[in-house]
């Protein structure tokens, strides 16, 4: 099985571990993530004004490129997923928009390519049972909090890899890998996103709330699917530690990193070294 | 605050432009406050989403433009996903930002950003941020 | 009178003093509430004997004196909540009557702690159970109402 | 000596598990007067009942005690069984040894349960010994109904009763039936035209062979009790002979004088001889005597001259008629609170401040402006209208504390009517909450806002004043936390719905209850919403509290079905649990009369042969008495008693304790 794959700009740069661990895991599970021959940045934000067609052109180009490779395209980053999926829907449902946008990018595209997140690939195409069978190093009951944030889930009806108020897809994967998933109230709250650029105080507060909420529920590691979440959560730990006596930093990792380790990848391959707080001691302590 | 209400403002051209640009119908909002209740940044907003919408309903666009709310909205869609009337404050704030940016007023100067940020931050944050905050 | 003594002995044979409580209740609210306690299989102290009347407004204060004379150690009166009376204002009449009646009770030498008033609606089974248990406990603490039985005259 | 049979039920194991029924049965045999006693597995089963019947016959029992479940369960069953065995059903009593003994005392040794069952059964036996056989009371029923008030609720009740085959007397105080609904333009939530749906019903009532309508009439008094009322009706002088008048309207046309129209709420004038509105039923004019120069000063008489059939009769006087009926439906409706109470809103001072019903008239095609929205002061079409909700309602300080329930809906309707007629107009509504609970109601108010563009402002208005031909409204919008000012052309006040002036007087005449706002009290607000404490008198429509047309109609129909049920038998059977007075010993202190919640006690005059009053005594009207026993406890002479719960019976039960 081969699946066209759109990495997006961030996975090509600061989030390499996310990318590599996923590709390697796919290989271990018997399928190939085939990077799009030609791609550009998706724009990292879906244009919220229906009259802003400019914002649709970049993702439309990505989709058109994917269409040349297969009937579906997968991504890892939550933001890419959100932007591609929404753009795709806009192009599919609105003929007028479609003709303007495709005219502008001078490529044919009808919206028929399916945008699926890597988690969906694992659940729906590979099957979590297959994943379970392939696990070589069960993760020793490590208590992992799956953090979804906004982009995987909202707006419901347009995106949504799972129920938008109570998703469990990531937890389901984590328990297959031998983790003990930790449910926590803030798992679908925003991390502060691009306010990292303007209002670090807000980001620190929102991401801090996520961290505290996870830790209070017993999390030993927080698992994400988005480089921006990852960045904000890691960056905000210092502030949490400042305002909360006895706070111990929790490692924040991509779900693919844990997947890779469980499937037997080396620490380097899984990019564990890229994380600001190392998850390795924790794994060792659990006998992984 | 004291305001006078005028039909000309309630149905004014700015209001119509905001509605067109956002795809939202202001009258649909019945001011239940769910958006403000769930918005992760409403605590920092001069006008929380529902109140911003209220001023737009009354035709008072300037009140909303003066407020910091639109620059704080991160587009997380929590408001929309829980709105019983399917109104998206996110879309309305986007429309207001566009209105402001299209007049060439940047909310953030690139040169003000710390170098460390530009080095470490994920590309997507920078791309997205520029799209939202800079014309 | 023989039968009565049989029952008295039976209660006393448990050991300590077991008070005898007479309850005057209205048919619509409290009687139905007590029924509900039964259908819900709740459990309460067995010391109470109910006399059913259409309405608390039917209760003549002399009934109470008569009950004490006949060996009751405590008396309970319970009906519908104010405003809920099946007969619209019957319980309100009852209430007004009690106010005048209290002083009479004291005058004839009845310890008012032996006399309890309450409102129990048809759905308040639990309240009924608590009421009986509490009244029983309270009257048990007061001991037998022997003084009053001495005053008994024939009716 | 009594011959009493005692039957102790085991209820399978329900009683037997904690009560030794055999021992109870043996114990009861020892009680004087008991001639038979047994225990049985299921007393209510057919064999159980058969056993009871046989025992009655075999042992010639004159009384039965069944110790079993609660009397609320099977008292009827066993009384019926006794009756079929020839025993008076009221000679059967139940001792409750299940719900109030075996089920609540879980002592498995059976000691507690058995002792208590002994007591309960013995107390019941003693009560029974002193019980007299009672006979059900039968009251003849006069199968005609009186309906007071000819609004939509009263019309509906009258039509339903008449359709059910019974005669109806409909009394209406105005010259026409129709009530407030006749004033409305279109009606929420469907927006059908009020006149179009009401007029056919009015005509149907007028033409119905079993409905007799008295308009311009009021109820002066009511005597009697359920099934047997006598009502006195004052027919006010119309100065027009109803038999002769053809309704041609010539008199109205020619009458040279005018007065303010009540129906149009002062927005228009009418002639001194008039019908309130063109579709009036009956279509017979009345003369407004205080304004008629002929009646006041003996000058004019134009109407009499032009009247072909000579129907005008200046000599007419009020007439009192008596009717005999078996049931009464009260449907006297509502009024609006006088707005003058709210000086800050300028009603009465500022011409362009009007109330909701006046707006209905402006919007009505048969109204003073022919359906065009024009403001009263200068007839200008208002470019903007401010509607103020909750005026007087939910206002403890100056108005009433309740919510008038329909004004949110009619205000939404008004904004739509306005928008339909004045496309460029802007409606503003000040509200505290939008209360639109009802089928399709919320959707209706949303339509006013979303589709018709009414601007709703959450807050109250503090003051209204005139400035340069405009009406300035100053209030708040709490949603934006702003003080709001609007320059409007007209202001409409949604004033509180209140009870009719004189509602209390009528209630006193009828012997029914009313609350502090003079709305009539239901027997039970949930379970008997159309009945009153006075049996045979029913309620319908807004005289009970603010309500809309669908509710008023439902109540009208519900009241009618109660009346028809009452009329379905020639006689009414009543439980014989009623009070009775020992008349010779009654000393006429009237304590009982004051205490009785149902006014069931009457003063009875005893005369000698010469026709001189020798004494007075109390008498219980068995048709009215509900058997509460309040009078018994009230009588200091101990001469009034309650069948089934006599003093003697209660004392016997106490003594057996
Ligand atoms: C501004 C306004 C708009 C409304 N719009 C709507 C609407 O769109 N849809 C809707 O469903 N409802 C509407 N309503 C409510 C509607 O008017 C009432 O629900 C309905 O009229 C109640 O009917 P009724 O028969 O109970 O009372 P009424 O209509 O008040 O009729 C009572 C009748 O009894 C007569 N009467 C009073 N006292 C006596 C007496 N002592 N003896 C003899 N006769 C007496 C009166 O003269 C009157 O004819 C509106 C109300 C208002 C104020
Ligand atoms: C949480 C809550 C609190 C409430 N509190 C109050 C209160 O305090 N005061 C108040 O006035 N009201 C209250 N209500 C409203 C009240 O419950 C309803 O008004 C009332 O129960 C409606 O009665 P009903 O007979 O119309 O319907 P239901 O009570 O629903 O009875 C309908 C019956 O029909 C049966 N049935 C359904 N379909 C069929 C079929 N096809 N064939 C045969 N039988 C069928 C059902 O089993 C049921 O027994 C409350 C409601 C709720 C939800
Ligand atoms: S949640 Fe929706 S309806 Fe409620 S206030 Fe916000 S936008 Fe308006
Ligand atoms: S999209 Fe904007 S307004 Fe809506 S909840 Fe998120 S931050 Fe708040
Ligand atoms: S009569 Fe009552 S107690 Fe006896 S069997 Fe029947 S239900 Fe049970
Ligand atoms: S003119 Fe005579 S008949 Fe004609 S309406 Fe007047 S009173 Fe009646
Ligand atoms: S007599 Fe009276 S009613 Fe008749 S026309 Fe003259 S003023 Fe009018
Ligand atoms: S129905 Fe609406 S306007 Fe009328 S009193 Fe109630 S809340 Fe106020
Ligand atoms: S028993 Fe009750 S209803 Fe009957 S007369 Fe006495 S007080 Fe009135
Ligand atoms: S209270 Fe007794 S004595 Fe007085 S009037 Fe009534 S019945 Fe007669």
């Amino acid at each position: 099985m081969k699946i066209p794959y759109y990495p997006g700009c961030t996975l090509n740069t600061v989030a390499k571990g996310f990318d590599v661990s996923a590709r390697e895991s796919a290989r271990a599970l018997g399928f190939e993530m085939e990077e799009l021959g030609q791609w550009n940045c998706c724009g990292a934000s879906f244009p919220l004004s229906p009259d802003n067609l400019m914002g649709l052109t970049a993702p439309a180009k990505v989709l058109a490129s994917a269409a040349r490779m297969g009937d579906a395209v997968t991504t890892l980053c939550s933001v890419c997923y959100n932007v591609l999926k929404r753009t795709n829907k806009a192009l599919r449902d609105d003929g007028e928009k479609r003709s303007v946008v495709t005219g502008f990018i001078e490529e044919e595209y009808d919206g028929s390519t399916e945008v699926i997140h890597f988690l969906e690939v694992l659940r729906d195409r590979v099957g979590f049972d297959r994943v379970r069978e392939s696990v070589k190093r069960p993760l020793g009951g490590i208590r992992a909090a799956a953090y979804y944030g906004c982009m995987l889930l909202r707006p419901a009806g347009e995106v949504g890899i799972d129920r938008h108020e109570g998703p469990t897809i990531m937890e389901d994967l984590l328990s297959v890998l031998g983790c003990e998933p930790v449910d926590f109230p803030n798992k679908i709250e925003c991390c502060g996103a691009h306010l990292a650029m303007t209002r670090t105080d807000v980001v620190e507060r929102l991401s801090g709330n996520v961290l505290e909420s996870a830790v209070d529920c017993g999390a030993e590691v927080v698992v994400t699917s988005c480089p921006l979440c990852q960045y904000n959560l890691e960056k905000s730990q210092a502030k949490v530690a400042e305002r909360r006596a006895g706070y111990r930093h929790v490692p924040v990792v991509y779900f693919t990193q844990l997947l890779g380790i469980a499937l037997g990848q080396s620490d380097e391959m899984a990019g564990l070294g890229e994380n600001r707080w190392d998850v390795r001691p924790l794994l060792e302590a659990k006998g992984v | 605050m004291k305001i006078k209400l005028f039909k000309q403002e309630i149905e004014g051209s700015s209001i119509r432009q905001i509605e067109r640009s956002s795809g939202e119908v202001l009258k649909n909002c019945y001011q239940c406050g769910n958006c403000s209740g769930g918005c992760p940044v409403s605590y920092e907003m001069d006008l929380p989403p529902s109140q911003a919408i209220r001023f737009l309903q009354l035709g008072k666009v300037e009140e909303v433009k003066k407020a910091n709310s639109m620059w704080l909205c991160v587009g997380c869609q929590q408001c929309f996903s829980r709105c019983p009337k399917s109104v998206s404050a996110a879309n309305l704030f986007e429309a207001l930002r566009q209105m402001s940016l299209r007049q060439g007023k940047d909310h953030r100067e690139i040169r003000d950003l710390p170098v460390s940020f530009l080095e470490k931050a994920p590309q997507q944050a920078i791309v997205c941020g520029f799209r939202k905050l800079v014309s | 009178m023989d039968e009565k003594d049989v029952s008295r002995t039976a209660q006393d044979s448990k050991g300590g003093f077991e008070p005898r409580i007479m309850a005057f209740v209205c048919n619509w609210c409290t009687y139905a509430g007590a029924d509900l306690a039964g259908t819900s299989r709740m459990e309460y102290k067995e010391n109470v004997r109910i006399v059913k009347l259409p309405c608390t407004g039917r209760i003549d204060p002399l009934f109470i004196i008569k009950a004490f004379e006949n060996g009751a150690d405590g008396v309970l009166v319970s009906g519908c909540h104010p405003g809920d009376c099946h007969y619209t204002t019957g319980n309100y009449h009852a209430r007004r009557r009690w106010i005048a009646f209290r002083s009479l009770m004291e005058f004839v030498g009845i310890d008012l702690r032996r006399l309890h008033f309450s409102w129990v609606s048809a759905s308040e089974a639990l309240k009924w159970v608590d009421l009986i248990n509490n009244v029983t406990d309270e009257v048990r603490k007061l001991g037998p109402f022997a003084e009053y039985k001495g005053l008994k005259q024939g009716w | 000596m009594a011959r009493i049979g005692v039957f102790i039920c085991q209820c399978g194991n329900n009683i037997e598990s904690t009560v030794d029924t055999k021992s109870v049965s043996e114990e009861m045999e020892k009680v004087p007067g008991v001639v038979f006693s047994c225990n049985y597995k299921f007393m209510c089963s057919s064999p159980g009942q058969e056993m009871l019947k046989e025992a009655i016959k075999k042992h010639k029992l004159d009384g039965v005690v069944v110790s079993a479940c609660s009397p609320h369960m099977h008292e009827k069953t066993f009384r019926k069984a006794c009756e079929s065995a020839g025993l008076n059903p009221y000679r059967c009593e139940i001792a409750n040894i299940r719900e109030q003994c075996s089920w609540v005392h879980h002592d498995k040794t059976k000691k507690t349960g058995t002792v208590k069952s002994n007591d309960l059964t013995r107390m019941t036996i003693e009560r029974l010994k002193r019980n007299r056989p009672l006979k059900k009371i039968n009251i003849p029923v006069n199968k005609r109904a009186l309906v007071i008030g000819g609004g939509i609720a009263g019309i509906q009740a009258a039509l339903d009763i008449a359709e059910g085959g019974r005669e109806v007397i409909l009394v209406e105080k105005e010259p026409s039936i129709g009530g407030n609904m006749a004033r409305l333009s279109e009606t929420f939530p469907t927006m059908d035209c009020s006149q179009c749906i009401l007029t056919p019903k009015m005509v149907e009532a007028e033409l119905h062979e079993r409905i007799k309508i008295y308009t311009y009439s009021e109820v002066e008094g009511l005597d009697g009790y359920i099934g047997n009322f006598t009502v006195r009706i004052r027919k006010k002088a119309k100065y027009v002979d109803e038999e002769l008048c053809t309704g041609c309207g010539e008199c109205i046309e020619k009458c040279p004088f005018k007065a303010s129209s009540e129906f149009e709420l002062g927005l228009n004038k009418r002639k001194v001889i008039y019908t309130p509105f063109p579709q009036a039923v009956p279509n017979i004019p009345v003369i407004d005597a205080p304004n008629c120069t002929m009646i006041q000063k003996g000058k004019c008489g134009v109407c009499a001259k032009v009247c072909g059939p000579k129907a005008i009769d200046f000599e007419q006087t009020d007439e009192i008629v008596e009717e005999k009926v078996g049931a009464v439906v009260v449907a006297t409706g509502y009024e609006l609170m006088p707005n003058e109470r709210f000086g800050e809103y300028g009603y009465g001072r500022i011409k362009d401040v009007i109330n909701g019903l006046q707006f209905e008239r402006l919007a009505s095609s048969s109204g003073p402006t022919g359906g065009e929205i024009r403001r009263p002061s200068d007839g200008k079409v208002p470019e903007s209208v401010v509607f103020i909700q909750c005026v007087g309602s939910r206002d403890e300080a100056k108005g009433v504390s309740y919510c008038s329930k329909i004004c949110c809906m009619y205000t939404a309707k008004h904004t739509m009517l306005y928008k339909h007629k004045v496309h460029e107009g802007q409606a503003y509504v000040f509200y505290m909450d939008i209360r639109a609970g009802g089928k399709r109601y919320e959707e209706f108010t949303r339509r006013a806002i979303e589709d018709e563009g009414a601007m709703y402002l959450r807050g109250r208005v503090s003051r209204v004043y005139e400035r340069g031909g405009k009406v300035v409204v100053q209030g708040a919008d709490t949603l934006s936390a702003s003080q709001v000012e609007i320059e409007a052309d007209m202001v409409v006040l949604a004033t509180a719905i209140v009870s009719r002036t004189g509602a209390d007087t009528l209630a006193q005449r009828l012997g029914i209850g009313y609350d502090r706002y003079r709305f009539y009290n239901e027997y039970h607000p949930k379970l008997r919403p159309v009945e009153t404490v006075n049996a045979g008198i029913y309620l319908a429509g807004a005289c009970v509290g603010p309500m809309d047309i669908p509710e008023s109609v439902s109540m009208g129909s519900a009241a009618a079905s109660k009346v028809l049920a009452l009329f379905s038998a020639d006689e009414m059977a009543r439980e014989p649990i009623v009070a009775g007075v020992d008349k010779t010993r009654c000393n006429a202190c009237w304590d009982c009369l004051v205490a009785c919640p149902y006014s069931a006690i009457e003063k009875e005059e005893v005369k000698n042969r010469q026709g001189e009053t020798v004494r007075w005594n109390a008498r219980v009207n068995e048709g009215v008495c509900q058997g509460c026993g309040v009078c018994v406890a009230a009588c200091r002479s101990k001469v009034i008693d309650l069948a089934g719960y006599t003093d003697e019976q209660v004392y016997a039960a106490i003594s057996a304790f």
Side-chain angles (χ1 to χ4, degrees), chain D residues 9-12 14-15 40-45 66-70 73-74 78 98-99:
Chain D
C9 185
Q10 299 175 346
C11 197
N14 278 303
I15 292 173
Y40 185 69
K41 204 157 189 68
F42 293 111
M43 276 308 297
C44 60
S45 65
V66 186
S67 291
C69 50
S70 170
M73 281 286 295
H74 279 309
F78 294 123
R98 190 178 75 173
E99 278 81 349

Side-chain angles (χ1 to χ4, degrees), chain C residues 41, chain D residues 9-19 21 40-42 98 102-103 108 110:
Chain C
R41 308 296 200 277
Chain D
C9 185
Q10 299 175 346
C11 197
N13 227 4
N14 278 303
I15 292 173
E16 189 59 32
S17 66
T18 52
V19 175
T21 55
Y40 185 69
K41 204 157 189 68
F42 293 111
R98 190 178 75 173
S102 76
W103 275 353
K108 288 286 170 206
K110 301 196 184 182

Side-chain angles (χ1 to χ4, degrees), chain D residues 581 586-592 618 634-637 639-640:
Chain D
V581 179
C586 169
N587 62 23
C589 68
W590 312 132
D591 282 353
C592 55
C635 175
R636 272 173 284 189
S637 311
V639 299
I640 189 163

